[in-house]
Amino acid sequence: MTTTIAAGKVVSARYTLHNTAGQVLESASADEPLIYLHGHENIVPGLERQLAGLEVGQSVKAQVPAAEAYGERAEVEPQRVPRDSFPADMPIEPGFGFAVEGEDGEALPLWIVGVDGDQVVVDVNHPLAGEDLHFDVEILAIRDATAEELAHGHPHGPTGAEGHHH
Ligand code: ZN
C-alpha cells in the first residue's frame, strides 16, 4: 500500500520558496530537508492543505495566498522598545518572533524588524505577512510519527529517534 501524506505522518521534503517578485526567500535541499509533522500546524496552513495526499517522489508547485500563509499585513506602525526591557538571553535580531501577554492573557505574537542603537523595533506583522508564497516542493520521505512526536506536535529528526533540543 502506498503511503500518502496525512495527519500524523512525518514528511521530509526539498523545497524552494519565492515571493511574487521571484525572490527566493527560503529553501531546503535533499541533504538538509524540511521535516515536519503533518496536521500539527508545523507549516503554513495553505501549504499543508496542498501537500495532503501526495506520495514520495511527487512534486508540486503550491501557490499560497497571504491569508493562508502568514496573514494579511496589519496597518499598524512598528513600535520602538528599549533593548534593556527584553530578557538578556533573547536573541535580538530581525526576524526573531516572540509573544507578549495581552490584556486578557492571550498571547500576542510580535516580530523584531530592526535594531536602532538601544531601541528595538517590533512589529505585529510576521516578516512575510501580506506576501503570497510560491513553493516548489518535492516529497522525499513519509513515515508514521512516533507516539512521542504526536504528543509533542513536532518531528524528532528523520527517523524519530534523533536527540531532543528542548
Ligand atoms: Zn519534542
Side-chain angles (χ1 to χ4, degrees):
M1 202 177 106
T2 307
T3 303
T4 58
I5 295 176
K9 300 289 187 186
V10 173
V11 179
S12 298
R14 184 179 68 67
Y15 78 98
T16 303
L17 163 60
H18 59 268
N19 62 15
T20 301
Q23 182 185 9
V24 174
L25 303 174
E26 293 173 12
S27 64
S29 67
D31 291 337
E32 290 184 62
L34 165 73
I35 301 173
Y36 80 96
L37 174 57
H38 196 88
H40 288 257
E41 300 180 356
N42 291 180
I43 61 176
V44 298
L47 179 61
E48 186 165 65
R49 191 168 48 74
Q50 294 183 54
L51 296 184
L54 294 183
E55 302 170 5
V56 171
Q58 285 193 304
S59 297
V60 66
K61 286 188 187 297
Q63 317 292 333
V64 180
E68 293 181 53
Y70 295 103
E72 303 292 355
R73 182 160 282 275
E75 295 302 327
V76 177
E77 287 297 311
Q79 300 289 312
R80 289 167 168 271
V81 182
R83 188 177 190 130
D84 60 14
S85 64
F86 289 89
D89 61 351
M90 202 175 105
I92 303 296
E93 57 194 27
F96 185 79
F98 60 102
V100 296
E101 195 170 303
E103 285 178 6
D104 300 319
E106 76 278 26
L108 297 175
L110 291 172
W111 282 270
I112 294 173
V113 293
V115 180
D116 182 9
D118 61 358
Q119 302 283 299
V120 179
V121 186
V122 301
D123 194 345
V124 298
N125 291 297
H126 184 280
L128 293 178
E131 295 264 21
D132 295 336
L133 303 182
H134 306 260
F135 292 91
D136 290 294
V137 186
E138 180 186 357
I139 306 305
L140 303 173
I142 304 170
R143 64 170 172 81
D144 291 328
T146 66
E148 189 180 48
E149 288 173 321
L150 290 173
H152 288 198
H154 56 230
H156 294 157
T159 67
E162 269 69 14
H164 236 204
H165 298 291
H166 53 264

